[in-house]
Amino acid sequence: MTRRCAIAVLALGLAWPAMAADKVRVVTTIPDLKALTQAVGGDLVDVDSLTRGTQNFHEAEVRPSMMLKLRRAQLLVENGAELDSWVDVAVTGANNPTIVRGGAGRIEVSRGIPLLEVPTTRVDRSMGDVHPQGNPHFSLDPGLAPIITQTILDGLARVAPQHRAAFEQNRAAFLQRLEAQLGGWLKTLEPFRGARVVVYHPDFIYFLNRFGLVQLGTVEDRPGIPPSPQHLANLIKQMQEQKIKVVLVEPWNDRKLATRVAEEAGGKALVIASSVGAVKGADDYIATIDYNVKALAAALR
Ligand SMILES: [Zn+2]
């Protein structure tokens, strides 16, 4: 605790809170990881995200403001699997050796995750495919939250070992709350087990698998590649034949196109919370998953 904080505490007769200056300064690349870091760190951490939930994380633009945040960071929590590889440019500009790749203050969450859709042949990035190492959108699968929060805990405890016990307690309490919710979510989506949906960008595969739903296809030709008329015609035909009613679309994608595809197939487009903060009401991790579960159940009914 700094001297000024100590004086303020004494003067005001306050309990001994973690003052801003004493908190572990964490920066995450995306809001989902910010929410999960807050769940583990509680009031011992000060967490900032480099992107907002309404953004396409693949295409985030590196700004000087990102470098400023990173300059003071003690820990950088990165998603990895090339969702947020732009962060390396920002880290170079931040001139903070703690958070460079391989540094004590750097975590790549994807390392602990069994990634889906890992390409079996070489993916040609020059053609725009943005998932060259497999699908990087695992953060909103509540079943993976235990792994993700463990990775975050390990990183936090490395830079602030004195708080390890508190981090462990916070994590356990959060996972208990999440577990209790998961039972309800599974029940809500149980009647729709095996239902097929179309997704604009394949960022929901972990979530769909968790709840027994099936991704029939994507509006994009391949991840990050705009659809050709031929691809769309095939997709709509397939949707009609299989009576697919729902096209999931991220707030940042072409909602008009999603609506057109859905309507031509006799269904509707549904905007999902592709991240914490992506839509109104998706304010924290549990609220975001709750939003998606309820929206999907309503659309599939
Ligand atoms: Zn993606």
Side-chain angles (χ1 to χ4, degrees):
M1 178 166 298
T2 62
R3 194 159 164 267
R4 208 172 60 198
C5 284
I7 290 167
V9 166
L10 293 174
L12 296 169
L14 298 173
W16 210 243
M19 306 294 277
D22 302 306
K23 296 189 181 195
V24 183
R25 293 183 302 278
V26 186
V27 171
T28 68
T29 52
I30 64 171
D32 304 353
L33 298 178
K34 174 183 172 177
L36 290 172
T37 303
Q38 268 168 339
V40 177
D43 66 357
L44 297 167
V45 297
D46 185 13
V47 195
D48 215 338
S49 171
L50 296 179
T51 54
R52 285 192 306 272
T54 47
Q55 264 177 282
N56 177 356
F57 303 136
H58 287 296
E59 292 173 2
E61 194 187 326
V62 173
R63 296 166 184 279
S65 58
M66 287 184 179
M67 298 176 193
L68 281 177
K69 286 177 184 174
L70 289 168
R71 188 160 298 166
R72 297 183 64 247
Q74 293 167 270
L75 184 69
L76 168 59
V77 183
E78 171 192 16
N79 186 85
E82 301 219 8
L83 177 69
D84 44 7
S85 40
W86 41 262
V87 78
D88 279 325
V89 179
V91 167
T92 302
N95 195 24
N96 176 356
T98 318
I99 57 163
V100 297
R101 205 165 284 286
R106 180 76 170 255
I107 309 177
E108 194 177 337
V109 176
S110 63
R111 285 176 178 269
I113 303 289
L115 292 180
L116 299 175
E117 299 175 344
V118 176
T120 48
T121 54
R122 202 178 146 272
V123 174
D124 189 354
R125 293 207 76 202
S126 67
M127 290 177 68
D129 195 318
V130 293
H131 294 173
Q133 294 183 12
N135 193 310
H137 303 282
F138 50 79
S139 53
L140 286 187
D141 172 2
L144 290 176
I147 302 181
I148 300 172
T149 51
Q150 182 64 55
T151 305
I152 292 172
L153 187 150
D154 290 342
L156 283 172
R158 203 162 57 222
V159 298
Q162 71 277 24
H163 296 316
R164 177 179 270 281
F167 296 147
E168 280 172 354
Q169 246 174 30
N170 290 343
R171 174 174 177 264
F174 170 72
L175 290 181
Q176 206 173 18
R177 275 205 299 140
L178 189 68
E179 185 74 17
Q181 292 276 345
L182 184 58
W185 291 329
L186 285 165
K187 212 177 271 174
T188 303
L189 287 173
E190 177 61 36
F192 311 107
R193 198 155 264 277
R196 282 156 300 181
V197 297
V198 163
V199 182
Y200 196 108
H201 178 81
D203 55 5
F204 237 49
I205 193 70
Y206 295 88
F207 182 97
L208 295 174
N209 282 0
R210 181 70 52 194
F211 292 101
L213 302 168
V214 178
Q215 175 182 297
L216 172 85
T218 57
V219 173
E220 292 175 333
D221 254 335
R222 279 191 282 142
I225 300 176
S228 64
Q230 188 56 46
H231 172 75
L232 289 181
N234 289 342
L235 182 67
I236 291 166
K237 190 162 159 271
Q238 224 183 341
M239 288 176 67
Q240 286 165 337
E241 284 167 1
Q242 301 197 29
K243 298 188 168 42
I244 309 293
K245 297 290 176 213
V246 183
V247 175
L248 306 181
V249 59
E250 303 74 16
W252 43 267
N253 252 320
D254 188 342
R255 296 197 209 182
K256 256 194 197 153
L257 178 61
T259 304
R260 184 164 73 74
V261 169
E263 284 176 356
E264 277 191 38
K268 60 186 168 187
L270 172 71
V271 176
I272 42 154
S274 47
S275 175
V276 172
V279 299
K280 217 171 157 219
D283 301 323
D284 63 25
Y285 191 79
I286 288 177
T288 303
I289 295 162
D290 194 55
Y291 178 94
N292 286 332
V293 167
K294 286 176 178 157
L296 257 169
L300 290 168
R301 198 158 285 140

